[in-house]
Amino acid sequence: MKDYGHRGVLLAATLSALAGYVDAVGFLTLGGFFVSFMSGNSTRFGVGLATGQWTQALTAIGLIGLFVCGVVLGASCARRFGEGRRAAVLTLEATLLLIGASLCTAGLNGPGMVAVVLAMGVENAVFQKNGDVGVGLTYMTGTLVRIGQRIATALHGGARWDWVPFLLLWLGLACGGAVGAVMFLRFGVLALWAAFLVVSGLALLVAAAEARAADS
């Protein structure tokens, strides 16, 4: 994380909050399934298989497959436009969220959630580096491990504050989830429009920053 600078850390924390927000909306829309937290869906898939709840298992594995497809789309976009061109990936994510929000607003929650899951997969390519994930944005288990590791390093004489950026990622996801739940309880699936607006705004800001960097 320290390689991305303050703006990079802020962008990552904002996108983690966005992932938590969208995941909360999706979780409540789908009745307990996740649109970005695939570890939870993997557990539900296993439990569904073990207990003979085939609908649960099929739903979970379907969401996992869609998420992987989204990752492929995002990674391909990053390769096509250059891994330093984060605006391209953000634009793709915003487009998918627009499709998802539009379909859900029209009462087509199933197809809408398909687009939303794809968008969450795409998001993980924003910080793609050498074809791999630079920063995990939609899942936090690895981030929590890194927090613990960096704290241990600090306790043994290493860098004192390297754990803070990872804490910001986790706080972003958790707080985003809380806001998403509140928004869903008030606006239902219409809460997805706020996610679209946020990602669109980020895409424009990042595109402007990239243009300035190219001109300098």
Side-chain angles (χ1 to χ4, degrees):
M1 285 292 290
K2 62 183 178 181
D3 297 332
Y4 292 100
H6 295 303
R7 289 184 179 179
V9 171
L10 180 59
L11 175 61
T14 302
L15 287 172
S16 286
L18 186 281
Y21 178 98
V22 173
D23 210 23
V25 174
F27 181 85
L28 293 169
T29 300
L30 296 173
F33 290 92
F34 302 91
V35 296
S36 71
F37 179 56
M38 293 301 122
S39 294
N41 286 337
S42 298
T43 299
R44 295 211 63 174
F45 172 67
V47 171
L49 287 180
T51 59
Q53 299 181 57
W54 309 120
T55 299
Q56 172 179 312
L58 287 172
T59 300
I61 198 65
L63 290 168
I64 293 167
L66 286 169
F67 184 83
V68 173
C69 289
V71 174
V72 173
L73 286 173
S76 299
C77 180
R79 287 175 179 271
R80 170 66 177 80
F81 292 95
E83 292 181 343
R85 299 285 300 278
R86 295 171 187 161
V89 178
L90 288 168
T91 299
L92 176 57
E93 181 183 359
T95 301
L96 288 167
L97 286 173
L98 172 61
I99 294 170
S102 298
L103 289 171
C104 288
T105 300
L108 301 172
N109 286 355
M113 286 295 114
V114 168
V116 170
V117 176
L118 290 172
M120 291 298 95
V122 165
E123 182 173 302
N124 286 283
V126 172
F127 288 92
Q128 182 169 301
K129 188 175 182 180
N130 298 323
D132 205 352
V133 175
V135 180
L137 298 172
T138 66
Y139 49 91
M140 286 297 122
T141 301
T143 298
L144 292 171
V145 170
R146 289 183 176 88
I147 291 173
Q149 290 173 332
R150 298 306 188 278
I151 290 174
T153 298
L155 292 174
H156 290 84
R160 295 178 61 185
W161 306 110
D162 278 0
W163 54 275
V164 173
F166 296 101
L167 177 63
L168 291 176
L169 287 180
W170 177 81
L171 285 173
L173 190 83
C175 293
V179 174
V182 170
M183 290 289 284
F184 179 85
L185 292 175
R186 183 164 183 179
F187 300 107
V189 290
L190 294 178
L192 288 172
W193 286 104
F196 161 68
L197 291 174
V198 169
V199 178
S200 297
L202 289 174
L204 291 172
L205 289 172
V206 171
E210 290 172 352
R212 288 194 299 270
D215 292 336
S216 61

